[in-house]
Amino acid sequence: MPVRPPSDVHHLLKAFEGRPAAVSASARDPVNLPMIRHWCEAMGDTHPAYTGEDAIAPPTMLQAWTMPGLSGGPGARTPAYEELFALLDGAGYTGVVATDCEQEYVRPLRPGDRPTFDTVIEAVSPRKTTRLGTGYFITTMMRVRVAGELVGTHRFRILKYAPATVPAPEPPREEPRPARPRPVINRDNAPFWAGVAEHKLLIQRCTACGTLRFPWLPGCGRCGSPEWGTVEACGSGTVHSYVVVHHPPFPAFDPPYAVVLVELAEGVRMISNITGVPHDAVRIGMSVELEFIRLDGGGELPVFRARADRPDGAES
Ligand code: ZN
C-alpha cells in the first residue's frame, strides 16, 4: 500500500533562514591539553604540533570545543531552532541524520583559549527524497571566536526526514542457498589470486628491503618501495588468534564458525577459515596446514586445516 508522504512545509521552513541557532554561546571548557591528548589518541594522530609546551589544538577539533554535550547547557538550541525542529517533527519529519560539514580555520586554537560561538540557520532546502526518506536539508553556520577574533567556521548540514516505511516482509520462499561472496580481485592483488589458482600461496616481498608483507599492498610499509617480488609460502602455520562468529547471520555461512588469524611459517599473518576442527575446538597455537577449497560457481580459496597430529592444539 503506498504511503502518502507528510505535507510539504517548505514555505514555513524558509522563514527560519537567517534566524539564530546559538547566540554568544561559550565553550564548556577552555582549550586544554588533556582534551587534545585524548582526541589525538582516539584519532591516532601523532603530529608533534599537538604536544609539548607550544602545543596547538588539531584544527578538526573545532566542533569538540563547541558541542553542548548530551545534557544540553551552553550552546544548546535557541527557541528559533527548537521551533524549527518542533515544526518538522510535528509534520512527520521525525528522523535526523548528519550529512556533511565544512570547516574553515583562521588561526590555530591554543590551550587557554576560551572559544565563543554564534550559529545561524543558513539554509533550508526544498523537500528532497532520499533513500532514508523524504525531508529537508538544514544547514547551520557557526562562527567561532576567541576574544572577539574569528578563529574558524563550521558549516553543518543535517537531513530531517520522514522515515521511509519498511515494506512488510514477504512470506518465506524456498530459495537456493546464496553463494559465498567471491574475492574482490583488483590490480594490486591479481597476482595473488593467480597464484591461488595454481594452488600457491604467494607472499609479497619488497625487493628493496626484503620485508615480507601480507595482505598484498601496492607499496612497502617499511621503506615505501613500490617494487616487489613473491615468496611462496610453505603452507605451515599456527593459529595466532581467532574469533567465533555467531552474529551477524550471513546467508552464505552457517554460524557459529571460527575465523582464524594464521601466522605463516614465513612470519606474516593471514585471516582465513579453518577446516577439520569444530569451531569450539580451535585454539591459539594450533598447528595448521594450507589447503584450497573450491567455491560454488568456480574459483578457489586458501584455507587452513587443523593438523591431525595435534587436534586440540595442546602446547606440548
Ligand atoms: Zn621495503
Side-chain angles (χ1 to χ4, degrees):
M1 188 183 80
V3 176
R4 209 156 50 90
S7 60
D8 190 351
V9 289
H10 186 241
H11 60 291
L12 299 174
L13 301 174
K14 268 311 243 192
F16 286 85
E17 287 185 346
R19 294 181 67 184
V23 179
S24 301
S26 301
R28 299 218 301 183
D29 301 286
V31 176
N32 63 85
L33 280 173
M35 278 174 70
I36 293 172
R37 189 175 66 244
H38 286 301
W39 169 278
C40 288
E41 286 186 3
M43 295 294 170
D45 193 332
T46 55
H47 196 284
Y50 309 142
T51 56
E53 297 234 323
D54 302 319
I56 60 168
T60 49
M61 274 190 82
L62 194 62
Q63 199 190 9
W65 309 115
T66 58
M67 284 181 119
L70 284 176
S71 56
R77 298 167 182 171
T78 56
Y81 206 43
E82 290 288 0
E83 218 179 295
L84 174 66
F85 267 66
L87 173 62
L88 284 160
D89 288 334
Y93 302 97
T94 52
V96 63
V97 61
T99 60
D100 61 288
C101 88
E102 301 158 25
Q103 295 187 334
E104 193 178 353
Y105 315 116
V106 180
R107 72 129 165 107
L109 286 166
R110 295 193 165 77
D113 281 343
R114 293 183 169 273
T116 59
F117 54 97
D118 294 271
T119 309
V120 166
I121 302 164
E122 193 178 60
V124 181
S125 77
R127 192 163 69 160
K128 308 260 187 187
T129 297
T130 72
R131 274 170 49 178
L132 286 172
T134 296
Y136 303 88
F137 289 93
I138 296 162
T139 308
T140 54
M141 177 63 163
M142 174 187 287
R143 289 181 174 79
V144 183
R145 296 183 174 83
V146 171
E149 174 202 3
L150 186 71
V151 294
T153 65
H154 176 64
R155 178 178 280 116
F156 192 62
R157 197 166 290 118
I158 60 170
L159 172 66
K160 274 292 279 175
Y161 64 98
T165 47
V166 180
E170 293 189 11
R173 276 180 294 172
E174 277 301 315
E175 285 188 20
R177 182 190 176 85
R180 185 173 172 133
R182 310 190 52 78
V184 176
I185 301 177
N186 57 38
R187 193 170 59 173
D188 294 325
N189 69 12
F192 170 77
W193 291 104
V196 168
E198 296 174 20
H199 283 195
K200 289 179 184 171
L201 184 66
L202 299 178
I203 302 167
Q204 264 182 318
R205 181 180 175 278
C206 173
T207 45
C209 75
T211 303
L212 298 179
R213 64 176 184 266
F214 197 94
W216 282 47
L217 291 167
C220 176
R222 185 171 203 184
C223 76
S225 169
E227 305 300 328
W228 54 269
T230 58
V231 170
E232 185 182 348
C234 71
S236 293
T238 51
V239 174
H240 181 78
S241 184
Y242 67 96
V243 292
V244 175
V245 177
H246 296 266
H247 202 83
F250 191 85
F253 296 89
D254 278 323
Y257 55 93
V259 174
V260 289
L261 179 63
V262 170
E263 181 156 305
L264 299 176
E266 289 75 15
V268 295
R269 293 176 190 156
M270 171 179 175
I271 293 171
S272 187
N273 286 130
I274 187 160
T275 58
V277 62
H279 67 87
D280 54 359
V282 177
R283 294 290 179 270
I284 288 171
M286 189 174 245
S287 298
V288 292
E289 195 69 41
L290 175 67
E291 70 174 14
F292 293 87
I293 57 168
R294 190 138 198 94
L295 291 169
D296 308 330
E300 306 213 46
L301 205 59
V303 299
F304 290 86
R305 173 166 291 276
R307 272 201 165 130
D309 52 328
R310 291 162 82 183
D312 61 358
E315 294 173 335
S316 53

